[in-house]
Short mmCIF file of all heavy atoms in Angstrom, two decimals:
data_model
loop_
_atom_site.label_atom_id
_atom_site.label_comp_id
_atom_site.label_asym_id
_atom_site.label_seq_id
_atom_site.Cartn_x
_atom_site.Cartn_y
_atom_site.Cartn_z
N THR A 109 20.69 30.34 -96.42
CA THR A 109 20.94 30.88 -97.75
C THR A 109 20.14 32.15 -98.04
O THR A 109 20.66 33.10 -98.63
CB THR A 109 20.63 29.82 -98.83
OG1 THR A 109 21.28 28.61 -98.49
CG2 THR A 109 21.09 30.29 -100.20
N GLY A 110 18.89 32.16 -97.64
CA GLY A 110 18.05 33.31 -97.94
C GLY A 110 18.23 34.49 -97.01
O GLY A 110 17.69 35.57 -97.27
N SER A 111 18.99 34.32 -95.93
CA SER A 111 19.16 35.42 -94.98
C SER A 111 19.92 36.56 -95.64
O SER A 111 20.89 36.35 -96.36
CB SER A 111 19.90 34.94 -93.73
OG SER A 111 21.20 34.50 -94.07
N GLY A 112 19.46 37.77 -95.40
CA GLY A 112 20.08 38.93 -96.02
C GLY A 112 19.57 39.22 -97.41
O GLY A 112 20.02 40.17 -98.05
N HIS A 113 18.63 38.40 -97.89
CA HIS A 113 18.04 38.61 -99.21
C HIS A 113 16.51 38.73 -99.07
O HIS A 113 15.94 38.40 -98.03
CB HIS A 113 18.38 37.44 -100.15
CG HIS A 113 19.84 37.32 -100.45
ND1 HIS A 113 20.47 38.06 -101.43
CD2 HIS A 113 20.81 36.56 -99.88
CE1 HIS A 113 21.75 37.75 -101.45
NE2 HIS A 113 21.99 36.84 -100.53
N LEU A 114 15.90 39.19 -100.16
CA LEU A 114 14.45 39.39 -100.15
C LEU A 114 13.71 38.33 -100.96
O LEU A 114 12.55 38.49 -101.28
CB LEU A 114 14.12 40.78 -100.73
CG LEU A 114 14.69 41.97 -99.94
CD1 LEU A 114 14.38 43.28 -100.66
CD2 LEU A 114 14.10 42.00 -98.53
N TRP A 115 14.38 37.21 -101.25
CA TRP A 115 13.78 36.20 -102.12
C TRP A 115 12.49 35.63 -101.53
O TRP A 115 11.51 35.46 -102.26
CB TRP A 115 14.78 35.08 -102.38
CG TRP A 115 16.07 35.54 -102.97
CD1 TRP A 115 16.26 36.59 -103.83
CD2 TRP A 115 17.36 34.97 -102.73
NE1 TRP A 115 17.59 36.71 -104.14
CE2 TRP A 115 18.30 35.73 -103.49
CE3 TRP A 115 17.82 33.91 -101.97
CZ2 TRP A 115 19.66 35.45 -103.50
CZ3 TRP A 115 19.18 33.62 -101.98
CH2 TRP A 115 20.08 34.38 -102.73
N TYR A 118 9.70 38.11 -102.04
CA TYR A 118 9.25 38.15 -103.43
C TYR A 118 8.47 36.89 -103.78
O TYR A 118 7.46 36.94 -104.50
CB TYR A 118 10.44 38.28 -104.37
CG TYR A 118 11.26 39.54 -104.22
CD1 TYR A 118 12.58 39.58 -104.65
CD2 TYR A 118 10.72 40.69 -103.66
CE1 TYR A 118 13.34 40.73 -104.52
CE2 TYR A 118 11.48 41.85 -103.53
CZ TYR A 118 12.79 41.86 -103.95
OH TYR A 118 13.55 42.99 -103.84
N ALA A 217 25.80 31.19 -105.24
CA ALA A 217 26.97 32.05 -105.20
C ALA A 217 28.21 31.25 -104.82
O ALA A 217 28.14 30.31 -104.02
CB ALA A 217 26.76 33.19 -104.20
N VAL A 241 26.46 33.34 -109.38
CA VAL A 241 26.95 34.62 -108.85
C VAL A 241 28.38 34.42 -108.37
O VAL A 241 28.66 33.51 -107.59
CB VAL A 241 26.06 35.12 -107.69
CG1 VAL A 241 26.57 36.47 -107.17
CG2 VAL A 241 24.60 35.22 -108.13
N PHE A 242 29.28 35.26 -108.84
CA PHE A 242 30.74 35.14 -108.66
C PHE A 242 31.17 33.68 -108.60
O PHE A 242 31.75 33.19 -107.63
CB PHE A 242 31.29 35.94 -107.47
CG PHE A 242 30.47 36.03 -106.20
CD1 PHE A 242 30.49 35.02 -105.25
CD2 PHE A 242 29.69 37.14 -105.95
CE1 PHE A 242 29.77 35.11 -104.08
CE2 PHE A 242 28.95 37.26 -104.78
CZ PHE A 242 28.99 36.24 -103.84
N ILE A 272 26.27 36.96 -112.67
CA ILE A 272 26.62 38.18 -111.94
C ILE A 272 28.00 37.97 -111.33
O ILE A 272 28.22 36.99 -110.62
CB ILE A 272 25.57 38.48 -110.85
CG1 ILE A 272 24.17 38.63 -111.47
CG2 ILE A 272 25.94 39.74 -110.08
CD1 ILE A 272 23.05 38.77 -110.44
N PHE A 322 18.50 48.56 -113.28
CA PHE A 322 19.29 47.80 -112.31
C PHE A 322 20.78 48.16 -112.37
O PHE A 322 21.57 47.64 -111.59
CB PHE A 322 19.15 46.30 -112.56
CG PHE A 322 17.74 45.81 -112.51
CD1 PHE A 322 17.07 45.39 -113.65
CD2 PHE A 322 17.06 45.76 -111.30
CE1 PHE A 322 15.77 44.93 -113.60
CE2 PHE A 322 15.75 45.31 -111.24
CZ PHE A 322 15.11 44.89 -112.40
N GLY A 324 24.36 50.71 -112.70
CA GLY A 324 24.92 51.86 -112.00
C GLY A 324 25.09 51.56 -110.52
O GLY A 324 25.53 50.49 -110.12
N GLY A 325 24.71 52.53 -109.69
CA GLY A 325 24.81 52.36 -108.25
C GLY A 325 26.24 52.45 -107.75
O GLY A 325 27.18 52.72 -108.50
N LEU A 326 26.41 52.20 -106.47
CA LEU A 326 27.73 52.31 -105.84
C LEU A 326 28.71 51.29 -106.40
O LEU A 326 29.92 51.50 -106.39
CB LEU A 326 27.59 52.13 -104.33
CG LEU A 326 26.77 53.19 -103.58
CD1 LEU A 326 26.64 52.81 -102.11
CD2 LEU A 326 27.40 54.57 -103.74
N SER A 327 28.18 50.16 -106.90
CA SER A 327 29.05 49.09 -107.41
C SER A 327 29.28 49.17 -108.91
O SER A 327 29.94 48.30 -109.48
CB SER A 327 28.46 47.71 -107.05
OG SER A 327 28.29 47.58 -105.67
N ILE A 329 27.27 48.65 -111.57
CA ILE A 329 26.76 47.47 -112.25
C ILE A 329 26.52 47.79 -113.73
O ILE A 329 25.85 48.77 -114.05
CB ILE A 329 25.45 46.98 -111.60
CG1 ILE A 329 25.67 46.67 -110.12
CG2 ILE A 329 24.90 45.76 -112.34
CD1 ILE A 329 24.39 46.40 -109.36
N TYR A 349 30.27 44.04 -111.80
CA TYR A 349 30.25 45.14 -110.83
C TYR A 349 31.60 45.24 -110.13
O TYR A 349 32.40 44.30 -110.13
CB TYR A 349 29.13 44.92 -109.81
CG TYR A 349 29.31 43.71 -108.92
CD1 TYR A 349 29.89 43.80 -107.66
CD2 TYR A 349 28.88 42.44 -109.34
CE1 TYR A 349 30.06 42.69 -106.84
CE2 TYR A 349 29.04 41.33 -108.53
CZ TYR A 349 29.63 41.45 -107.28
OH TYR A 349 29.80 40.36 -106.48
N GLY A 354 32.52 37.26 -102.78
CA GLY A 354 31.67 37.10 -101.62
C GLY A 354 30.92 38.35 -101.21
O GLY A 354 30.06 38.28 -100.33
N VAL A 355 31.23 39.48 -101.84
CA VAL A 355 30.55 40.73 -101.52
C VAL A 355 29.52 41.02 -102.60
O VAL A 355 29.86 41.23 -103.77
CB VAL A 355 31.55 41.90 -101.42
CG1 VAL A 355 30.81 43.21 -101.12
CG2 VAL A 355 32.59 41.63 -100.35
N TRP A 356 28.25 40.99 -102.23
CA TRP A 356 27.18 41.24 -103.19
C TRP A 356 27.14 42.72 -103.55
O TRP A 356 27.40 43.58 -102.71
CB TRP A 356 25.84 40.81 -102.61
CG TRP A 356 25.68 39.33 -102.51
CD1 TRP A 356 26.31 38.49 -101.64
CD2 TRP A 356 24.86 38.50 -103.33
NE1 TRP A 356 25.93 37.19 -101.86
CE2 TRP A 356 25.03 37.16 -102.89
CE3 TRP A 356 23.97 38.75 -104.38
CZ2 TRP A 356 24.36 36.08 -103.47
CZ3 TRP A 356 23.31 37.68 -104.96
CH2 TRP A 356 23.51 36.36 -104.51
N PRO A 357 26.79 43.03 -104.79
CA PRO A 357 26.65 44.44 -105.16
C PRO A 357 25.41 45.06 -104.53
O PRO A 357 24.76 44.43 -103.68
CB PRO A 357 26.53 44.38 -106.68
CG PRO A 357 25.98 43.03 -106.97
CD PRO A 357 26.54 42.12 -105.90
N ASP A 358 25.08 46.25 -104.96
CA ASP A 358 24.02 47.05 -104.34
C ASP A 358 22.77 46.24 -104.05
O ASP A 358 22.24 45.56 -104.92
CB ASP A 358 23.64 48.22 -105.26
CG ASP A 358 24.84 49.07 -105.62
OD1 ASP A 358 25.94 48.53 -105.74
OD2 ASP A 358 24.65 50.29 -105.80
N GLN A 359 22.31 46.32 -102.83
CA GLN A 359 21.08 45.65 -102.41
C GLN A 359 20.07 46.70 -101.94
O GLN A 359 20.46 47.73 -101.40
CB GLN A 359 21.35 44.65 -101.28
CG GLN A 359 22.10 43.40 -101.72
CD GLN A 359 21.25 42.45 -102.55
OE1 GLN A 359 20.39 42.87 -103.32
NE2 GLN A 359 21.47 41.16 -102.39
N PRO A 360 18.77 46.49 -102.19
CA PRO A 360 18.17 45.26 -102.75
C PRO A 360 18.17 45.20 -104.28
O PRO A 360 17.48 44.37 -104.86
CB PRO A 360 16.75 45.32 -102.21
CG PRO A 360 16.44 46.78 -102.19
CD PRO A 360 17.73 47.46 -101.79
N LEU A 361 18.94 46.08 -104.93
CA LEU A 361 18.90 46.15 -106.38
C LEU A 361 19.23 44.82 -107.04
O LEU A 361 18.58 44.40 -108.00
CB LEU A 361 19.88 47.23 -106.86
CG LEU A 361 19.68 47.76 -108.28
CD1 LEU A 361 18.33 48.45 -108.41
CD2 LEU A 361 20.81 48.70 -108.67
N THR A 362 20.24 44.11 -106.50
CA THR A 362 20.64 42.85 -107.12
C THR A 362 19.57 41.78 -106.93
O THR A 362 19.31 40.98 -107.84
CB THR A 362 21.98 42.38 -106.54
OG1 THR A 362 22.95 43.41 -106.72
CG2 THR A 362 22.46 41.12 -107.26
N ASP A 363 18.95 41.73 -105.74
CA ASP A 363 17.84 40.79 -105.54
C ASP A 363 16.71 41.08 -106.53
O ASP A 363 16.10 40.15 -107.09
CB ASP A 363 17.31 40.89 -104.11
CG ASP A 363 18.20 40.19 -103.11
OD1 ASP A 363 19.15 39.50 -103.54
OD2 ASP A 363 17.95 40.32 -101.90
N GLU A 364 16.43 42.36 -106.77
CA GLU A 364 15.37 42.72 -107.71
C GLU A 364 15.74 42.33 -109.13
O GLU A 364 14.90 41.87 -109.91
CB GLU A 364 15.10 44.22 -107.62
CG GLU A 364 14.48 44.64 -106.29
CD GLU A 364 14.47 46.14 -106.09
OE1 GLU A 364 15.10 46.86 -106.91
OE2 GLU A 364 13.85 46.60 -105.11
N LEU A 365 17.03 42.49 -109.49
CA LEU A 365 17.51 42.07 -110.80
C LEU A 365 17.33 40.56 -110.98
O LEU A 365 16.81 40.10 -112.01
CB LEU A 365 18.98 42.44 -110.96
CG LEU A 365 19.75 41.78 -112.12
CD1 LEU A 365 19.15 42.19 -113.46
CD2 LEU A 365 21.24 42.15 -112.04
N MET A 366 17.74 39.77 -109.99
CA MET A 366 17.61 38.33 -110.08
C MET A 366 16.16 37.93 -110.20
O MET A 366 15.80 37.06 -111.01
CB MET A 366 18.26 37.68 -108.85
CG MET A 366 19.76 37.87 -108.78
SD MET A 366 20.47 37.49 -107.17
CE MET A 366 20.18 35.74 -107.06
N TRP A 367 15.30 38.57 -109.40
CA TRP A 367 13.89 38.20 -109.44
C TRP A 367 13.25 38.60 -110.76
O TRP A 367 12.42 37.86 -111.30
CB TRP A 367 13.14 38.82 -108.25
CG TRP A 367 11.94 38.00 -107.91
CD1 TRP A 367 10.63 38.29 -108.18
CD2 TRP A 367 11.95 36.72 -107.26
NE1 TRP A 367 9.83 37.27 -107.75
CE2 TRP A 367 10.60 36.30 -107.18
CE3 TRP A 367 12.95 35.90 -106.74
CZ2 TRP A 367 10.25 35.09 -106.60
CZ3 TRP A 367 12.61 34.71 -106.17
CH2 TRP A 367 11.26 34.32 -106.10
N PRO A 396 12.60 49.13 -110.39
CA PRO A 396 12.42 50.39 -109.71
C PRO A 396 12.85 51.58 -110.55
O PRO A 396 13.67 51.43 -111.44
CB PRO A 396 13.32 50.25 -108.47
CG PRO A 396 14.35 49.24 -108.89
CD PRO A 396 13.67 48.30 -109.81
#
Side-chain angles (χ1 to χ4, degrees):
T109 310
S111 63
H113 296 277
L114 298 176
W115 304 327
Y118 298 157
V241 181
F242 37 83
I272 302 173
F322 302 110
L326 297 175
S327 302
I329 302 171
Y349 65 95
V355 178
W356 288 72
D358 304 33
Q359 289 287 34
L361 198 63
T362 304
D363 283 352
E364 292 169 351
L365 165 63
M366 294 165 66
W367 206 256

